[in-house]
Amino acid sequence: MLRKLSSSWIVLVLAAFALVTSALVWAYNPVAAGSLKSPVKWDDRASKELTHEFHALHEASNRGDYATVKKLIAGDDLLVTFELGSDQTPVPLRSKKEIDSFLDRIVKEAANDRGTYELEMPKMNCRATETFGVCTEECTIHYTVDGVERIDKSFGTGVAVKYPDGWKFIQYHMSVAAPSETRKAE
């Protein structure tokens, strides 16, 4: 009987040890405890700076200042940028040269159509460290030709790096948020 009691006691002690160990692991594991903390130390000042630059990119586009738009986009030869063509189809851009050519082509198409683009200031959120940042946006683009306005809603994510002369986007991904709407321009 003593032998049965001692083996039962050992099983009980091991079970209690396993329970306490599991509780401690759970308590100190942020994922299991439901309080996942970011290992990144976001910088509020840098995040605001990046948000300002992203707004500047949209404002330059609305002014037709594509030299400034190109200056704010550095591109990357490894990280592919995904844009939307004038017909809302996805377009992969694999270098700074392809990004610049794409912008030139969109501007030329609009000029040939006698069209104009206007970007609403998007709902935008940016987070950044001193040298690296990510922005998300919900954007509405108005394209007007001959009194007819096409309204495109899109979602975008941009990755930016701080260069000595300021923030530049190295990668961007644009996707369609809703089907295009068409209406008579006001």
Side-chain angles (χ1 to χ4, degrees), residues 120-140:
E120 288 183 16
M121 278 303 124
K123 293 180 190 173
M124 184 185 303
N125 293 294
C126 295
R127 284 209 166 165
T129 65
E130 287 184 24
T131 58
F132 181 83
V134 178
C135 295
T136 59
E137 70 169 317
E138 297 174 48
C139 187
T140 302

Side-chain angles (χ1 to χ4, degrees), residues 43-111:
D43 181 310
D44 286 339
R45 180 194 51 74
S47 298
K48 288 176 184 165
E49 219 177 69
L50 179 56
T51 301
H52 175 77
E53 287 304 306
F54 204 13
H55 278 294
L57 187 145
H58 283 79
E59 291 165 356
S61 179
N62 282 342
R63 287 191 313 270
D65 181 1
Y66 291 100
T68 296
V69 171
K70 289 177 181 181
K71 182 180 170 207
L72 293 171
I73 300 173
D76 186 278
D77 291 346
L78 182 63
L79 302 173
V80 180
T81 286
F82 300 100
E83 242 311 346
L84 292 172
S86 57
D87 60 354
Q88 293 298 88
T89 58
V91 178
L93 305 168
R94 301 182 190 285
S95 67
K96 168 67 169 158
K97 183 178 177 182
E98 286 187 14
I99 292 168
D100 288 350
S101 293
F102 172 81
L103 285 170
D104 292 341
R105 190 170 54 253
I106 291 291
V107 170
K108 185 177 179 182
E109 286 175 11

Side-chain angles (χ1 to χ4, degrees), residues 18-38:
L19 182 63
V20 169
T21 302
S22 296
L24 288 171
V25 167
W26 181 82
Y28 288 100
N29 180 345
V31 173
S35 61
L36 184 61
K37 303 265 190 228
S38 173

